mmCIF file of all heavy atoms in Angstrom:
data_model
loop_
_atom_site.group_PDB
_atom_site.id
_atom_site.type_symbol
_atom_site.label_atom_id
_atom_site.label_comp_id
_atom_site.label_asym_id
_atom_site.label_seq_id
_atom_site.Cartn_x
_atom_site.Cartn_y
_atom_site.Cartn_z
ATOM 1 N N MET P 12 -135.059 -11.425 126.470
ATOM 2 C CA MET P 12 -135.261 -12.513 127.445
ATOM 3 C C MET P 12 -134.435 -12.279 128.714
ATOM 4 O O MET P 12 -134.880 -12.475 129.820
ATOM 5 C CB MET P 12 -134.878 -13.832 126.764
ATOM 6 C CG MET P 12 -135.359 -15.055 127.529
ATOM 7 S SD MET P 12 -137.177 -15.091 127.612
ATOM 8 C CE MET P 12 -137.398 -16.379 128.799
ATOM 9 N N TYR P 15 -135.968 -9.900 130.892
ATOM 10 C CA TYR P 15 -137.109 -10.501 131.560
ATOM 11 C C TYR P 15 -136.659 -11.211 132.833
ATOM 12 O O TYR P 15 -137.204 -11.045 133.907
ATOM 13 C CB TYR P 15 -137.754 -11.467 130.570
ATOM 14 C CG TYR P 15 -138.836 -12.307 131.137
ATOM 15 C CD1 TYR P 15 -139.991 -11.714 131.637
ATOM 16 C CD2 TYR P 15 -138.721 -13.694 131.172
ATOM 17 C CE1 TYR P 15 -141.010 -12.488 132.153
ATOM 18 C CE2 TYR P 15 -139.728 -14.461 131.678
ATOM 19 C CZ TYR P 15 -140.864 -13.852 132.170
ATOM 20 O OH TYR P 15 -141.856 -14.633 132.685
ATOM 21 N N GLU P 147 -149.568 -14.558 134.644
ATOM 22 C CA GLU P 147 -148.220 -14.716 134.081
ATOM 23 C C GLU P 147 -147.264 -13.643 134.559
ATOM 24 O O GLU P 147 -146.097 -13.684 134.241
ATOM 25 C CB GLU P 147 -148.303 -14.718 132.552
ATOM 26 C CG GLU P 147 -148.582 -16.092 131.999
ATOM 27 C CD GLU P 147 -147.918 -16.339 130.652
ATOM 28 O OE1 GLU P 147 -147.491 -15.377 129.998
ATOM 29 O OE2 GLU P 147 -147.846 -17.504 130.265
ATOM 30 N N TYR P 405 -144.320 -8.429 126.782
ATOM 31 C CA TYR P 405 -144.798 -9.142 127.972
ATOM 32 C C TYR P 405 -144.538 -8.291 129.208
ATOM 33 O O TYR P 405 -143.525 -7.591 129.257
ATOM 34 C CB TYR P 405 -144.089 -10.496 128.113
ATOM 35 C CG TYR P 405 -144.681 -11.550 127.220
ATOM 36 C CD1 TYR P 405 -144.147 -11.806 125.961
ATOM 37 C CD2 TYR P 405 -145.802 -12.267 127.617
ATOM 38 C CE1 TYR P 405 -144.700 -12.767 125.129
ATOM 39 C CE2 TYR P 405 -146.362 -13.235 126.794
ATOM 40 C CZ TYR P 405 -145.812 -13.475 125.557
ATOM 41 O OH TYR P 405 -146.380 -14.417 124.745
ATOM 42 N N PRO P 406 -145.428 -8.367 130.195
ATOM 43 C CA PRO P 406 -145.212 -7.580 131.414
ATOM 44 C C PRO P 406 -143.850 -7.915 132.024
ATOM 45 O O PRO P 406 -143.468 -9.077 132.074
ATOM 46 C CB PRO P 406 -146.330 -8.053 132.354
ATOM 47 C CG PRO P 406 -147.306 -8.775 131.507
ATOM 48 C CD PRO P 406 -146.615 -9.209 130.265
ATOM 49 N N THR P 408 -140.971 -7.142 130.776
ATOM 50 C CA THR P 408 -139.878 -7.274 129.807
ATOM 51 C C THR P 408 -139.743 -5.976 129.008
ATOM 52 O O THR P 408 -140.669 -5.164 128.964
ATOM 53 C CB THR P 408 -140.131 -8.415 128.801
ATOM 54 O OG1 THR P 408 -141.259 -8.059 128.005
ATOM 55 C CG2 THR P 408 -140.405 -9.718 129.494
ATOM 56 N N TRP P 411 -139.812 -6.287 122.480
ATOM 57 C CA TRP P 411 -141.109 -6.428 121.801
ATOM 58 C C TRP P 411 -141.251 -7.870 121.336
ATOM 59 O O TRP P 411 -140.393 -8.365 120.614
ATOM 60 C CB TRP P 411 -141.193 -5.491 120.595
ATOM 61 C CG TRP P 411 -141.282 -4.046 120.989
ATOM 62 C CD1 TRP P 411 -140.299 -3.123 120.920
ATOM 63 C CD2 TRP P 411 -142.438 -3.382 121.516
ATOM 64 N NE1 TRP P 411 -140.742 -1.909 121.385
ATOM 65 C CE2 TRP P 411 -142.070 -2.043 121.755
ATOM 66 C CE3 TRP P 411 -143.735 -3.774 121.827
ATOM 67 C CZ2 TRP P 411 -142.951 -1.101 122.278
ATOM 68 C CZ3 TRP P 411 -144.609 -2.841 122.345
ATOM 69 C CH2 TRP P 411 -144.223 -1.520 122.569
ATOM 70 N N ALA P 412 -142.333 -8.526 121.747
ATOM 71 C CA ALA P 412 -142.585 -9.888 121.261
ATOM 72 C C ALA P 412 -143.275 -9.805 119.894
ATOM 73 O O ALA P 412 -143.136 -10.694 119.048
ATOM 74 C CB ALA P 412 -143.462 -10.653 122.242
ATOM 75 N N GLY P 430 -142.913 -19.520 110.952
ATOM 76 C CA GLY P 430 -141.783 -18.679 111.365
ATOM 77 C C GLY P 430 -140.932 -19.445 112.339
ATOM 78 O O GLY P 430 -141.338 -20.490 112.857
ATOM 79 N N MET P 431 -139.769 -18.894 112.614
ATOM 80 C CA MET P 431 -138.837 -19.614 113.482
ATOM 81 C C MET P 431 -139.319 -19.542 114.935
ATOM 82 O O MET P 431 -140.210 -18.750 115.259
ATOM 83 C CB MET P 431 -137.458 -18.991 113.353
ATOM 84 C CG MET P 431 -136.990 -19.068 111.912
ATOM 85 S SD MET P 431 -135.244 -19.087 111.718
ATOM 86 C CE MET P 431 -134.741 -17.520 112.265
ATOM 87 N N ASN P 432 -138.667 -20.325 115.785
ATOM 88 C CA ASN P 432 -138.997 -20.273 117.221
ATOM 89 C C ASN P 432 -138.801 -18.857 117.742
ATOM 90 O O ASN P 432 -137.828 -18.201 117.376
ATOM 91 C CB ASN P 432 -138.051 -21.178 118.018
ATOM 92 C CG ASN P 432 -138.433 -22.619 117.867
ATOM 93 O OD1 ASN P 432 -139.584 -22.932 117.555
ATOM 94 N ND2 ASN P 432 -137.476 -23.503 118.063
ATOM 95 N N GLY P 433 -139.725 -18.420 118.552
ATOM 96 C CA GLY P 433 -139.583 -17.095 119.174
ATOM 97 C C GLY P 433 -139.964 -15.960 118.250
ATOM 98 O O GLY P 433 -139.747 -14.790 118.573
ATOM 99 N N SER P 434 -140.564 -16.273 117.078
ATOM 100 C CA SER P 434 -140.892 -15.184 116.140
ATOM 101 C C SER P 434 -142.218 -14.503 116.504
ATOM 102 O O SER P 434 -142.592 -13.519 115.885
ATOM 103 C CB SER P 434 -140.914 -15.707 114.703
ATOM 104 O OG SER P 434 -141.845 -16.757 114.585
ATOM 105 N N GLY P 435 -142.940 -15.042 117.487
ATOM 106 C CA GLY P 435 -144.129 -14.334 117.968
ATOM 107 C C GLY P 435 -145.455 -14.996 117.622
ATOM 108 O O GLY P 435 -146.521 -14.419 117.858
ATOM 109 N N LYS P 436 -145.434 -16.234 117.136
ATOM 110 C CA LYS P 436 -146.679 -16.879 116.683
ATOM 111 C C LYS P 436 -147.639 -17.143 117.850
ATOM 112 O O LYS P 436 -148.823 -16.816 117.782
ATOM 113 C CB LYS P 436 -146.353 -18.193 115.937
ATOM 114 C CG LYS P 436 -145.407 -17.996 114.769
ATOM 115 C CD LYS P 436 -145.066 -19.284 114.066
ATOM 116 C CE LYS P 436 -144.357 -20.316 114.898
ATOM 117 N NZ LYS P 436 -142.962 -19.970 115.265
ATOM 118 N N THR P 437 -147.094 -17.743 118.924
ATOM 119 C CA THR P 437 -147.968 -18.052 120.066
ATOM 120 C C THR P 437 -148.468 -16.765 120.710
ATOM 121 O O THR P 437 -149.627 -16.678 121.136
ATOM 122 C CB THR P 437 -147.209 -18.913 121.093
ATOM 123 O OG1 THR P 437 -146.814 -20.101 120.432
ATOM 124 C CG2 THR P 437 -148.062 -19.262 122.286
ATOM 125 N N THR P 438 -147.607 -15.774 120.751
ATOM 126 C CA THR P 438 -148.012 -14.485 121.326
ATOM 127 C C THR P 438 -149.184 -13.925 120.522
ATOM 128 O O THR P 438 -150.151 -13.390 121.094
ATOM 129 C CB THR P 438 -146.820 -13.510 121.299
ATOM 130 O OG1 THR P 438 -145.724 -14.148 121.943
ATOM 131 C CG2 THR P 438 -147.144 -12.215 121.990
ATOM 132 N N PHE P 439 -149.116 -14.084 119.201
ATOM 133 C CA PHE P 439 -150.211 -13.611 118.350
ATOM 134 C C PHE P 439 -151.521 -14.302 118.750
ATOM 135 O O PHE P 439 -152.569 -13.653 118.888
ATOM 136 C CB PHE P 439 -149.861 -13.898 116.871
ATOM 137 C CG PHE P 439 -150.998 -13.649 115.935
ATOM 138 C CD1 PHE P 439 -151.306 -12.358 115.529
ATOM 139 C CD2 PHE P 439 -151.788 -14.706 115.468
ATOM 140 C CE1 PHE P 439 -152.380 -12.116 114.676
ATOM 141 C CE2 PHE P 439 -152.855 -14.473 114.626
ATOM 142 C CZ PHE P 439 -153.153 -13.172 114.226
ATOM 143 N N LYS P 441 -152.293 -15.594 121.624
ATOM 144 C CA LYS P 441 -152.727 -15.118 122.948
ATOM 145 C C LYS P 441 -153.434 -13.766 122.834
ATOM 146 O O LYS P 441 -154.417 -13.514 123.530
ATOM 147 C CB LYS P 441 -151.522 -14.987 123.884
ATOM 148 C CG LYS P 441 -150.950 -16.321 124.350
ATOM 149 C CD LYS P 441 -149.815 -16.036 125.321
ATOM 150 C CE LYS P 441 -149.032 -17.259 125.695
ATOM 151 N NZ LYS P 441 -147.780 -16.904 126.368
ATOM 152 N N TYR P 447 -154.136 -11.602 126.481
ATOM 153 C CA TYR P 447 -153.421 -10.349 126.741
ATOM 154 C C TYR P 447 -154.052 -9.249 125.907
ATOM 155 O O TYR P 447 -154.660 -9.532 124.869
ATOM 156 C CB TYR P 447 -151.960 -10.467 126.295
ATOM 157 C CG TYR P 447 -151.085 -11.251 127.221
ATOM 158 C CD1 TYR P 447 -150.781 -12.593 126.949
ATOM 159 C CD2 TYR P 447 -150.539 -10.675 128.350
ATOM 160 C CE1 TYR P 447 -149.962 -13.320 127.790
ATOM 161 C CE2 TYR P 447 -149.721 -11.399 129.197
ATOM 162 C CZ TYR P 447 -149.437 -12.720 128.911
ATOM 163 O OH TYR P 447 -148.632 -13.433 129.751
ATOM 164 N N GLN P 478 -149.667 -25.279 122.342
ATOM 165 C CA GLN P 478 -148.539 -26.236 122.391
ATOM 166 C C GLN P 478 -148.464 -26.885 123.761
ATOM 167 O O GLN P 478 -148.228 -28.067 123.882
ATOM 168 C CB GLN P 478 -147.209 -25.492 122.219
ATOM 169 C CG GLN P 478 -147.000 -24.839 120.912
ATOM 170 C CD GLN P 478 -145.741 -23.968 120.973
ATOM 171 O OE1 GLN P 478 -144.722 -24.361 121.520
ATOM 172 N NE2 GLN P 478 -145.810 -22.789 120.392
ATOM 173 N N ASP P 560 -152.142 -24.578 117.677
ATOM 174 C CA ASP P 560 -150.789 -24.037 117.808
ATOM 175 C C ASP P 560 -149.819 -25.194 117.972
ATOM 176 O O ASP P 560 -149.624 -25.699 119.075
ATOM 177 C CB ASP P 560 -150.731 -23.107 119.029
ATOM 178 C CG ASP P 560 -149.357 -22.481 119.213
ATOM 179 O OD1 ASP P 560 -148.462 -22.783 118.405
ATOM 180 O OD2 ASP P 560 -149.187 -21.695 120.159
ATOM 181 N N GLU P 561 -149.242 -25.605 116.887
ATOM 182 C CA GLU P 561 -148.333 -26.764 116.866
ATOM 183 C C GLU P 561 -148.885 -27.922 117.683
ATOM 184 O O GLU P 561 -148.197 -28.459 118.552
ATOM 185 C CB GLU P 561 -146.953 -26.377 117.400
ATOM 186 C CG GLU P 561 -146.185 -25.524 116.435
ATOM 187 C CD GLU P 561 -144.800 -25.203 116.935
ATOM 188 O OE1 GLU P 561 -144.136 -26.124 117.440
ATOM 189 O OE2 GLU P 561 -144.406 -24.042 116.831
ATOM 190 N N ILE P 590 -150.654 -23.313 113.324
ATOM 191 C CA ILE P 590 -149.230 -23.008 113.449
ATOM 192 C C ILE P 590 -148.515 -24.346 113.391
ATOM 193 O O ILE P 590 -148.863 -25.252 114.155
ATOM 194 C CB ILE P 590 -148.910 -22.332 114.799
ATOM 195 C CG1 ILE P 590 -149.685 -21.026 114.922
ATOM 196 C CG2 ILE P 590 -147.427 -22.095 114.940
ATOM 197 C CD1 ILE P 590 -149.470 -20.295 116.235
HETATM 198 P P1 ADP T 8 -143.194 -18.627 118.847
HETATM 199 O O1 ADP T 8 -144.561 -19.101 119.184
HETATM 200 O O2 ADP T 8 -143.088 -18.078 117.465
HETATM 201 O O3 ADP T 8 -142.116 -19.651 119.121
HETATM 202 P P2 ADP T 8 -143.560 -16.834 121.096
HETATM 203 O O4 ADP T 8 -144.743 -16.050 120.723
HETATM 204 O O5 ADP T 8 -143.739 -17.954 122.070
HETATM 205 O O6 ADP T 8 -142.840 -17.378 119.781
HETATM 206 O O7 ADP T 8 -142.446 -15.866 121.698
HETATM 207 C C1 ADP T 8 -142.145 -14.580 121.149
HETATM 208 C C2 ADP T 8 -141.155 -13.882 122.091
HETATM 209 O O8 ADP T 8 -141.784 -13.589 123.324
HETATM 210 C C3 ADP T 8 -139.922 -14.707 122.408
HETATM 211 O O9 ADP T 8 -138.809 -13.831 122.440
HETATM 212 C C4 ADP T 8 -140.210 -15.261 123.799
HETATM 213 O O10 ADP T 8 -139.019 -15.430 124.514
HETATM 214 C C5 ADP T 8 -141.039 -14.141 124.416
HETATM 215 N N1 ADP T 8 -142.013 -14.691 125.394
HETATM 216 C C6 ADP T 8 -142.911 -15.673 125.188
HETATM 217 N N2 ADP T 8 -143.662 -15.891 126.289
HETATM 218 C C7 ADP T 8 -143.227 -15.020 127.225
HETATM 219 C C8 ADP T 8 -143.606 -14.723 128.555
HETATM 220 N N3 ADP T 8 -144.595 -15.380 129.165
HETATM 221 N N4 ADP T 8 -142.948 -13.758 129.187
HETATM 222 C C9 ADP T 8 -141.940 -13.098 128.594
HETATM 223 N N5 ADP T 8 -141.545 -13.297 127.340
HETATM 224 C C10 ADP T 8 -142.154 -14.257 126.646
#
Side-chain angles (χ1 to χ4, degrees):
M12 194 63 191
Y15 172 63
E147 274 213 344
Y405 280 94
T408 66
W411 290 105
M431 301 206 294
N432 283 337
S434 58
K436 304 179 298 290
T437 300
T438 306
F439 171 79
K441 288 183 189 167
Y447 283 99
Q478 295 171 42
D560 181 359
E561 287 183 44
I590 300 178

